[in-house]
Amino acid sequence: MKKIISAILSLTMLFSLIACDTSGSTGQTDSTSESIVDESVPDDVVETQVIADRYFSHGFTVSSQTDGIATPIGQVKFDEEDMVSPQWKLAQWYCGYYHRADAELYDTYNILNGKHVVNGPKHIFTDTSKKFSIDTETGAISMRLLGTKEYTSNRQNGQPWPHILLEYKMVKTPRLKDLKSVRFEMDFELTRFSSGYTSNAEVNRDLHTAQFVFYCTLVNNNSQSKDYGEYIWFGLNLFDARYEVVPAYASQDSGKEVNTGAFIYQPISSSYCKTPTRVGETQSINYNLLPRMRDAFRAAQEARFLTNTKWEDLVLNSGNFGFEVTGIYDIAADISRLNLYVGE
């Protein structure tokens, strides 16, 4: 069994779900064409929601601030008698990195050391640069990451960047060949976006941005295949500070020292966002991903990834969503609805 399958099935989940570093290689947007297909969901499809523990009833695990380590450093449980392991993980890669010389200050960038406020079913966690809240009755999620608190100077090429990501597990991992649809549903509002730059001349578009992303993985689960355990990051770029319409993207995961090396595919944002994502406006997405997943597989093979893989070998697996901030930007969003349905 190859190492990626072991990672998916273990607590670490997909090399700790290393944030798919598209923002670190932003000069590589691709003009890969997308097929013209019917993206509607057939009327006779029976759909199942596959994100596990959608209402966070078993809490969440918090990972270390060091990317690639995947060490769980604590759990947040809302019921002391609950013995079920959390299905969710909160990743806080490189938060506080630029303040690590001061150990006491660095620790204030750990969400576990922050303030926890309970208001009925709503739990709010706040540290020096991050704010994260969940409502265990409605499933609503809020996230914030302040680049102005993270960076001490403008990020240079090769330097890491802070993340806040929620990593989700799946109720089941269906074979793509058996599916008639993979429908992603999200209602969210970008509640804050602001720049800490004093002039446009300080911004390098290849290095500096803030992104709100959603990812799942398409994994070769055929133990007889030479590509067993290899996978594609399939993503939606819900917001990117550089664009109103985020271009299609197809490339290898790169941009920093620790990366998965897997193929990443994102369709153009206008295919799933009816309008550009803007502060203070509700963005509603209801989109069948399956046709674009076929495009992703085709593009991966054209780029010489998964060349020993057949469509029949692939399963839909876990992923993550949240913020990656590669420049001095503050960003926040409220997510009122989030579902991933498979139709059979």
Side-chain angles (χ1 to χ4, degrees):
M1 182 177 290
K2 293 187 178 181
K3 59 184 178 181
I4 183 58
I5 285 292
S6 298
I8 291 172
L9 297 178
S10 72
L11 185 62
T12 57
M13 273 181 61
L14 291 170
F15 288 101
S16 317
L17 295 169
I18 304 174
C20 301
D21 306 319
T22 58
S23 52
S25 50
T26 50
Q28 302 176 35
T29 48
D30 190 23
S31 59
T32 302
S33 61
E34 297 179 345
S35 59
I36 300 175
V37 293
D38 181 5
E39 295 171 345
S40 61
V41 177
D43 292 336
D44 61 343
V45 167
V46 177
E47 292 186 319
T48 304
Q49 208 286 117
V50 289
I51 295 177
D53 191 19
R54 179 59 193 85
Y55 296 93
F56 295 87
S57 58
H58 303 299
F60 58 94
T61 299
V62 178
S63 63
S64 68
Q65 292 156 264
T66 306
D67 194 358
I69 300 299
T71 304
I73 59 173
Q75 290 184 352
V76 175
K77 302 286 283 186
F78 304 126
D79 181 352
E80 294 181 358
E81 298 181 359
D82 180 15
M83 295 293 104
V84 178
S85 297
Q87 299 296 296
W88 292 86
K89 182 185 286 185
L90 181 72
Q92 49 183 353
W93 306 134
Y94 290 121
C95 289
Y97 175 86
Y98 296 97
H99 305 277
R100 65 196 186 283
D102 183 336
E104 185 174 348
L105 177 60
Y106 180 71
D107 283 346
T108 70
Y109 287 83
N110 179 350
I111 201 80
L112 288 176
N113 297 331
K115 186 178 181 180
H116 178 194
V117 175
V118 181
N119 183 7
K122 190 172 184 178
H123 295 259
I124 305 167
F125 304 84
T126 311
D127 67 17
T128 297
S129 67
K130 300 185 296 299
K131 187 175 183 180
F132 167 64
S133 71
I134 53 176
D135 189 314
T136 56
E137 283 188 357
T138 66
I141 303 164
S142 294
M143 307 175 80
R144 184 186 74 189
L145 180 56
L146 304 179
T148 54
K149 295 290 187 181
E150 288 283 351
Y151 291 103
T152 56
S153 60
N154 210 6
R155 190 179 76 87
Q156 303 300 308
N157 190 30
Q159 291 183 321
W161 57 88
H163 310 58
I164 179 171
L165 299 168
L166 274 175
E167 303 173 358
Y168 63 89
K169 292 184 179 181
M170 303 276 284
V171 173
K172 58 181 179 179
T173 54
R175 292 196 177 278
L176 293 180
K177 74 176 183 65
D178 296 331
L179 300 180
K180 296 180 180 178
S181 65
V182 179
R183 186 165 64 88
F184 175 70
E185 188 177 63
M186 180 186 275
D187 291 348
F188 72 92
E189 179 186 334
L190 194 70
T191 57
R192 178 173 182 175
F193 177 73
S194 58
S195 173
Y197 291 102
T198 56
S199 72
N200 290 333
E202 297 176 86
V203 180
N204 180 336
R205 285 173 62 88
D206 288 339
L207 290 176
H208 307 136
T209 192
Q211 294 179 325
F212 182 28
V213 294
F214 175 89
Y215 281 98
C216 54
T217 48
L218 316 180
V219 184
N220 183 322
N221 198 35
N222 180 357
S223 60
Q224 304 305 309
S225 171
K226 292 181 180 179
D227 288 341
Y228 179 49
E230 301 297 330
Y231 63 102
I232 298 168
W233 284 109
F234 181 89
L236 303 180
N237 198 334
L238 307 171
F239 174 79
D240 188 313
R242 297 163 299 176
Y243 309 106
E244 281 217 327
V245 176
V246 186
Y249 181 93
S251 187
Q252 186 178 28
D253 182 8
S254 60
K256 60 181 177 179
E257 184 177 353
V258 179
N259 62 77
T260 64
F263 188 76
I264 300 172
Y265 185 91
Q266 297 174 350
I268 187 171
S269 66
S270 58
S271 63
Y272 48 88
C273 291
K274 295 179 181 178
T275 60
T277 298
R278 298 187 177 96
V279 175
E281 298 180 6
T282 299
Q283 181 69 269
S284 294
I285 300 172
N286 189 337
Y287 187 66
N288 180 13
L289 306 177
L290 188 60
R292 298 305 166 210
M293 289 177 172
R294 290 184 179 274
D295 288 343
F297 179 54
R298 173 179 56 82
Q301 292 200 315
E302 289 176 352
R304 308 306 298 165
F305 289 80
L306 281 80
T307 56
N308 298 299
T309 298
K310 299 178 181 178
W311 177 252
E312 291 77 12
D313 297 330
L314 295 175
V315 300
L316 178 65
N317 214 313
S318 306
N320 62 41
F321 60 92
F323 300 139
E324 300 192 34
V325 177
T326 65
I328 309 173
Y329 297 105
D330 295 342
I331 187 170
D334 293 341
I335 303 168
S336 56
R337 181 169 60 167
L338 170 66
N339 292 295
L340 186 63
Y341 296 101
V342 297
E344 297 173 293

